[in-house]
Amino acid sequence: TPFNRVVALDPGTGSEIWSYDPELDKKNTYSKGSYCRGVSYWSDSKTLDQGGTCSKRVLSGIGDGRLIAIDADTGKACNDFGNKGQINLNSFDYHGGGSISLTSAPAIYEDVVILGSTILDGEWANAPDGIVRAFDVRSGEQLWSWNPIPENLRDTIGGANTWAPISIDNKRGWVFLPTGSPSHDPYGVERSEPLPYGNAVVVLDALTGEKIWSYQTIHHDLWDYDLPSMPTLVEINHQDKKVEAVLQATKTGFLFVLDR
């Protein structure tokens, strides 16, 4: 729901099986709004046959910056994940003023849960950096992080965050990130150096966070041209050859077709 309540329903009748309320502070919602683009599901192939506790998990990003793991069978928090079932991402260093929010479902590759953040890049000049983080889906231990802002600029600007959903190429073990604009997005005077990972499709190794390649769609954003949608992984016919591609829709009305 918009306030991040997770509800399990019987698909045949629509009757409620369980619900989980993260008790989001509704008087202090992020950006005076409430957003939730979905949840993610993971199952443990090692213990699924035994029906172990939390062998099936629902991963949900919360508007106040928490990541919560919920037992898909019972609707209870998985106490072995993070701090009694949750991780507060705002307890990590994002190198800027303000806080981050989670509004899209995490991406999952094997036993790794990967998530970006929502950042008010038009409100703070030195907004939090758009760091993408990966965690062990069982323990909640951080496995890697990737920062789109160059190290020498992290105390001056921020943003370039991934707020839209992340795509997974399971064959390659890659994650495809649609990044947003660096801060302060309507005022670019302090952004005199190249920022190649803002407004870009960025591809990382899902297990290590190592950058594979990137393609920038806007080089100096002054109009909040964040990449607003999940990269779509497809196979197309191009010059009589089958090509594995990625399609990226944009706020500018252009559809970018990139060789994966």
Side-chain angles (χ1 to χ4, degrees), residues 187-242:
Y187 182 73
V189 172
E190 294 180 342
R191 294 189 272 119
S192 58
E193 298 184 36
L195 296 163
Y197 305 134
N199 308 92
V201 178
V202 181
V203 187
L204 307 180
D205 185 294
L207 296 180
T208 66
E210 177 187 3
K211 184 180 76 73
I212 308 296
W213 60 261
S214 65
Y215 182 91
Q216 189 169 45
T217 64
I218 296 288
H219 297 306
H220 187 68
D221 187 1
L222 301 174
W223 300 97
D224 194 36
Y225 283 144
D226 300 344
L227 295 188
S229 62
M230 190 177 194
T232 303
L233 306 183
V234 297
E235 186 179 86
I236 62 174
N237 291 315
H238 179 63
Q239 297 178 346
D240 297 324
K241 294 182 180 179
K242 287 187 176 181

Side-chain angles (χ1 to χ4, degrees), residues 9 16 31 34 51 59 67 73-74 81-82 87 94-95 128 145 160 176 178 180-181 198 211 216 222 235 245 252 254:
L9 304 178
E16 182 176 306
S31 185
S34 301
L59 285 301
L67 173 64
D73 286 323
T74 66
F81 181 84
I87 301 169
Y94 282 85
H95 306 286
S145 64
F176 286 72
S181 59
K211 184 180 76 73
Q216 189 169 45
L222 301 174
E235 186 179 86
T252 62
F254 286 93

Side-chain angles (χ1 to χ4, degrees), residues 11 31 33 49 68 79 84 86 88 108 117 122 128 132 148-149 151 160 164 174 181-182 186 203 217 224:
S31 185
D49 293 339
I68 296 180
N79 286 326
K84 297 181 179 180
Q86 59 184 335
N88 179 9
I108 296 179
S117 60
V132 175
I149 303 299
E151 188 173 359
W174 293 355
S181 59
V203 187
T217 64
D224 194 36

Side-chain angles (χ1 to χ4, degrees), residues 129-153:
D129 294 353
I131 299 172
V132 175
R133 301 187 188 275
F135 299 91
D136 184 293
V137 74
R138 294 184 180 87
S139 68
E141 175 188 2
Q142 180 170 279
L143 301 175
W144 56 260
S145 64
W146 176 80
N147 193 334
I149 303 299
E151 188 173 359
N152 64 311
L153 299 176

Side-chain angles (χ1 to χ4, degrees), residues 33-217:
S34 301
Y35 314 94
C36 180
R37 297 183 183 87
V39 296
S40 299
Y41 175 83
W42 170 88
S43 62
D44 188 347
S45 58
K46 297 178 181 178
T47 62
L48 191 58
D49 293 339
Q50 289 79 25
T53 301
C54 277
S55 60
K56 295 178 287 184
R57 301 186 178 201
V58 175
L59 285 301
S60 180
I62 309 302
D64 56 15
R66 286 177 290 157
L67 173 64
I68 296 180
I70 305 165
D71 189 319
D73 286 323
T74 66
K76 306 296 183 182
C78 298
N79 286 326
D80 57 349
F81 181 84
N83 180 17
K84 297 181 179 180
Q86 59 184 335
I87 301 169
N88 179 9
L89 269 72
N90 278 302
S91 66
F92 292 82
D93 186 6
Y94 282 85
H95 306 286
S99 59
I100 65 113
S101 175
L102 301 176
T103 59
S104 290
I108 296 179
Y109 176 74
E110 294 185 355
D111 297 334
V112 181
V113 53
I114 303 158
L115 63 166
S117 60
T118 291
I119 291 171
L120 300 183
D121 48 23
E123 182 167 327
W124 303 303
N126 182 26
D129 294 353
I131 299 172
V132 175
R133 301 187 188 275
F135 299 91
D136 184 293
V137 74
R138 294 184 180 87
S139 68
E141 175 188 2
Q142 180 170 279
L143 301 175
W144 56 260
S145 64
W146 176 80
N147 193 334
I149 303 299
E151 188 173 359
N152 64 311
L153 299 176
R154 290 172 187 173
D155 293 331
T156 305
I157 62 174
N161 51 298
T162 300
W163 57 261
I166 295 170
S167 295
I168 298 283
D169 184 329
N170 282 302
K171 183 174 73 174
R172 293 176 172 85
W174 293 355
V175 292
F176 286 72
L177 311 175
T179 69
S181 59
S183 64
H184 191 284
D185 65 356
Y187 182 73
V189 172
E190 294 180 342
R191 294 189 272 119
S192 58
E193 298 184 36
L195 296 163
Y197 305 134
N199 308 92
V201 178
V202 181
V203 187
L204 307 180
D205 185 294
L207 296 180
T208 66
E210 177 187 3
K211 184 180 76 73
I212 308 296
W213 60 261
S214 65
Y215 182 91
Q216 189 169 45
T217 64

